[in-house]
Amino acid sequence: MKQLSNPFLNLAITFWAVLFFVSCQKKSENSNNVSIEKKTILQKKSSPIDNPKNLKEEVLLNYIDKATTIKPNSKNGVPFDKLDYDKVIAYDFDGSEETYPKVIDKHGKFVPVVLAQKVLSQIQADKILSTLTKKSTYGEGTAACFKPHFAIIFYKQNKAVNQISICLDCNYLISDIDIPAETYSKVNKGTPEEYSLIGFTKSGKAAIISLSKELGFYYQQKNQ
């Protein structure tokens, strides 16, 4: 028996063939988009440790050895008036609270995210240290984070005796030795809810930004 041609059947077959092709094409495009997104995410998650500008341990150690010496100045205020040091070096680094809160870690090694280093002259050291010991430098609020980009390390015979990490975004510093002026401004003083406003004031931030400009460090572009 002769089979009759069915135009509706042919049309249906053509329709489903086109639909299948378009569906496959969209899946391919989606797959490519996912790959691009994954690549972008991986790039964003790239660790600061991968930065080719990071200074090597040997370079950092050699710099300390060759750095010019200065003298402690009793006029700088507590606690730096009594600290025995002969060199002060500032560091620009990509710090983080959990991984790299300081330039020198608990094992005495430099963290692998130091981008620049500059020895401070007697004038530069005295100026920033006298600022950090003033009560007027502190008294504002802070953020909960701590991602420092600026550090100051004191050395005696090429051994670190104190280091200060500064985060202007979070608006406070962490020092190995206490700076009394930092906790001078109190809220709810004399009550169980008492706490200190350790955040930098406008003048405190201005001093750090000013030094950063002199050194060519990260915070030179910071808006007050």
Side-chain angles (χ1 to χ4, degrees), residues 33-217:
N33 290 336
V34 170
S35 297
I36 293 173
E37 289 174 0
K38 285 183 177 180
K39 184 176 180 180
T40 303
I41 291 172
L42 288 174
Q43 289 174 342
K44 289 181 179 179
K45 288 184 177 180
S46 179
S47 172
I49 197 173
D50 298 325
N51 191 334
K53 295 182 180 180
N54 291 336
L55 301 179
K56 303 296 183 183
E57 180 93 3
E58 182 180 1
V59 173
L60 293 160
L61 290 172
N62 287 338
Y63 191 83
I64 300 171
D65 187 50
K66 297 177 181 179
T68 55
T69 59
I70 61 175
K71 296 180 180 180
N73 187 341
S74 59
K75 294 180 180 181
N76 286 337
V78 181
F80 307 122
D81 56 340
K82 303 296 183 182
L83 184 63
D84 188 16
Y85 58 89
D86 56 19
K87 297 177 182 180
V88 179
I89 300 177
Y91 296 89
D92 194 7
F93 75 119
D94 198 352
S96 58
E97 184 173 10
E98 295 182 0
T99 313
Y100 307 120
K102 300 179 180 180
V103 166
I104 297 179
D105 65 22
K106 61 183 180 180
H107 303 293
K109 300 290 185 180
F110 281 97
V111 294
V113 290
V114 180
L115 298 167
Q117 55 185 341
K118 292 287 181 66
V119 61
L120 298 188
S121 66
Q122 187 76 59
I123 294 175
Q124 288 175 321
D126 289 344
K127 186 176 181 180
I128 191 63
L129 296 182
S130 63
T131 296
L132 295 180
T133 59
K134 289 179 180 177
K135 296 174 182 176
S136 59
T137 297
Y138 312 93
E140 298 293 336
T142 62
C145 62
F146 191 68
K147 297 180 179 180
H149 285 278
F150 189 92
I152 298 173
I153 300 183
F154 302 76
Y155 294 93
K156 179 65 177 181
Q157 297 179 348
N158 295 344
K159 300 293 183 182
V161 293
N162 182 54
Q163 57 180 325
I164 300 171
S165 299
I166 296 172
C167 177
L168 286 187
D169 294 309
C170 309
N171 204 39
Y172 67 102
L173 64 77
I174 293 177
S175 174
D176 284 352
I177 57 176
D178 292 336
I179 302 175
E182 188 182 7
T183 56
Y184 173 76
S185 181
K186 306 285 187 181
V187 174
N188 299 322
K189 189 173 183 179
T191 72
E193 291 76 31
E194 178 181 304
Y195 64 93
S196 299
L197 286 174
I198 64 174
F200 296 117
T201 57
K202 185 176 181 180
S203 62
K205 286 184 283 189
I208 296 166
I209 293 171
S210 177
L211 180 56
S212 295
K213 288 179 179 178
E214 289 183 32
L215 304 176
F217 281 8

